[in-house]
Amino acid sequence: MQTELSQKLGVEHAVFGFTPFPAVAAAISRAGGFGVLGAVRYTDPGELKRDLDWVEAHVDGRPYGLDVVMPAKKVEAPNNRTLTEADVEAMIPEGHRQFVRDTLAQHGVPGLAEGEASGWRITGWMEQVARSQLDVAFDYPIRLLANALGSPPADVVARAHDRDVLVAALAGSARHARKHKEAGIDIVVAQGYEAGGHTGEIASMVLTPEVVDAVAPLPVLAAGGIGSGQQVAAALALGAQGVWLGSLWLTTTEADLHSPALTRKLLAAGSGDTVRSRALTGKPARQLRTEWTDAWDDPAGPGTLPMPLQGLLVAEAVSRIQKYEVEPLLGTPVGQIVGRMNSERSVQAVFDDLTRGFEQAVDRVNRIAGRSGQS
């Protein structure tokens, strides 16, 4: 599964794997792909440094990258001050806080122990936190910096290029992709409607060739609904120079979900068991449909808040739901490909299946082309 982009980066397969788990990122790179560690959960730069040290020691000298979240649009503090977490907390209406308390009480979700901090914070969506992550990351030989919500600020792009780091940005439409090209982005990830996490409204089969045409000659990675080698072959046939996979790694043996109940839900879910909801962050993100997403999407409720207010509002609630594994409310961002994620496998086993399926698809097309040429 070689393309011009994979050759440029020195990887065997044009498979870019996004994951919040260092062990998965390292395993992806060792298997011949390109592991990309998600940084959004690292509010402490020291923790990011610790995990990048670990990744660096376990990729066997192979390339890897980092994914940050720097929203193109953000809530502003008064007088254009730098937005702090306290500023955001002060903007959250009491009615929304009460809705969270009521929803948790309806499902009997226990509180955290006295003095116990929330294990899930969303401050990584705030620009100054992402910048502190970059201060750490640029001390490592990362080969790619990806931003999940639009083009990074111009100074961040320049800083990456000064270090010979390629910059990628996700796009849900050709219009977004053209903006990325104008901003000096090196790689555009065309993320279709089927994808997990923040995603737009255009399906991958339509989106990928539109983005390829819109930003040529920039390389494009196809994302959304891809979980087999046949789908990788289809993405390359549409003009992509590789694929960007995220959901598929959640049920690998190297993943550390800390929740047997959540793993069971993922393995049991079908492709129709996800929903695009603002419940988690305030922006539409595909995730498992649960009674938690249903509550936030109910017109009778208060509605969600904009990013990053919603993330801070629900942070402790999400921690409690995860800690106590309250199954009706328990979910995670995941794409429609979850319907194929029905067994726990190692990252290497996933790559074995991808390469085998890719070869079968290419052979099938070659046979069709051969018969076509004889007729």
Side-chain angles (χ1 to χ4, degrees):
M1 296 186 285
Q2 278 273 326
T3 65
E4 183 180 345
L5 179 60
S6 65
Q7 291 171 346
K8 180 177 181 178
L9 288 168
V11 296
E12 183 179 357
H13 305 300
V15 174
F16 293 71
F18 163 78
T19 174
F21 306 117
V24 176
I28 290 168
S29 290
R30 289 198 307 273
F34 191 99
V36 182
L37 179 65
V40 69
R41 67 188 179 92
Y42 293 99
T43 57
D44 179 353
E47 293 180 358
L48 178 59
K49 182 180 187 307
R50 176 202 64 202
D51 282 358
L52 285 175
D53 282 340
W54 192 95
V55 171
E56 180 68 19
H58 289 83
V59 293
D60 295 345
R62 302 191 181 195
Y64 61 95
L66 191 76
D67 179 279
V68 297
V69 177
M70 303 183 80
K73 296 180 180 179
K74 51 185 181 292
V75 178
E76 298 289 350
N79 302 320
N80 294 321
R81 290 188 294 104
T82 299
L83 189 67
T84 67
E85 186 173 341
D87 290 325
V88 176
E89 292 280 6
M91 296 177 187
I92 297 174
E94 177 56 30
H96 282 72
R97 295 186 187 279
Q98 187 60 51
F99 181 76
V100 170
R101 290 191 289 266
D102 291 345
T103 304
L104 296 177
Q106 288 168 12
H107 290 84
V109 182
L112 298 176
E114 185 175 352
E116 182 180 0
S118 168
W120 187 90
R121 296 298 283 169
I122 205 69
T123 49
W125 305 103
M126 298 169 66
E127 182 175 318
Q128 67 268 30
V129 176
R131 287 184 178 276
S132 71
Q133 294 164 349
L134 295 177
D135 290 340
V136 172
F138 283 138
D139 286 336
Y140 292 81
I142 62 171
R143 295 294 310 282
L144 176 72
L145 172 67
N147 187 43
L149 291 175
S151 303
D155 67 297
V156 172
V157 175
R159 191 177 175 191
H161 287 167
D162 286 345
R163 290 162 173 77
D164 198 28
V165 175
L166 297 179
V167 181
L170 276 64
S173 70
R175 177 174 60 86
H176 292 155
R178 282 189 286 268
K179 288 184 177 180
H180 294 338
K181 183 178 181 181
E182 293 167 1
I185 299 303
D186 304 294
I187 302 168
V188 176
V189 181
Q191 179 160 285
Y193 173 81
E194 308 95 324
H198 296 112
T199 188
E201 299 180 347
I202 304 173
S204 298
M205 182 64 75
V206 174
L207 180 66
T208 301
E210 283 188 352
V211 171
V212 169
D213 290 343
V215 302
L218 288 186
V220 172
L221 301 177
I226 300 173
S228 71
Q230 291 87 344
Q231 291 168 314
V232 175
L236 300 190
L238 293 172
Q241 285 204 31
V243 294
W244 178 273
L245 309 182
S247 299
L248 195 62
W249 316 110
L250 289 173
T251 52
T252 57
T253 53
E254 292 89 346
D256 192 10
L257 285 177
H258 297 294
S259 174
L262 180 55
T263 298
R264 288 195 301 271
K265 289 188 76 169
L266 288 169
L267 294 174
S271 56
D273 291 330
T274 68
V275 64
R276 208 165 147 266
S277 171
R278 298 176 184 267
L280 188 62
T281 69
K283 284 184 176 291
R286 186 170 297 285
Q287 53 203 279
L288 281 180
R289 181 175 181 177
T290 66
E291 293 186 27
W292 178 255
T293 62
D294 286 348
W296 282 105
D297 295 339
D298 188 337
T304 56
L305 298 170
M307 178 183 282
L309 277 66
Q310 181 71 15
L312 285 175
L313 168 66
V314 304
E316 181 182 319
V318 171
S319 285
R320 290 163 59 185
I321 292 166
Q322 292 176 345
K323 176 178 179 178
Y324 299 110
E325 295 192 300
V326 184
E327 293 205 30
L329 304 179
L330 187 63
T332 187
V334 69
Q336 292 180 331
I337 198 64
V338 70
R340 294 183 63 98
M341 296 159 47
N342 49 25
S343 66
E344 292 186 77
R345 301 175 292 166
S346 69
V347 168
Q348 183 61 60
V350 171
F351 267 89
D352 291 344
D353 286 346
L354 290 174
T355 54
R356 184 165 46 247
F358 179 83
E359 291 168 357
Q360 292 170 352
V362 171
D363 287 345
R364 184 183 306 119
V365 172
N366 285 337
R367 288 196 302 272
I368 293 170
R371 287 196 297 270
S372 178
Q374 295 169 4
S375 59

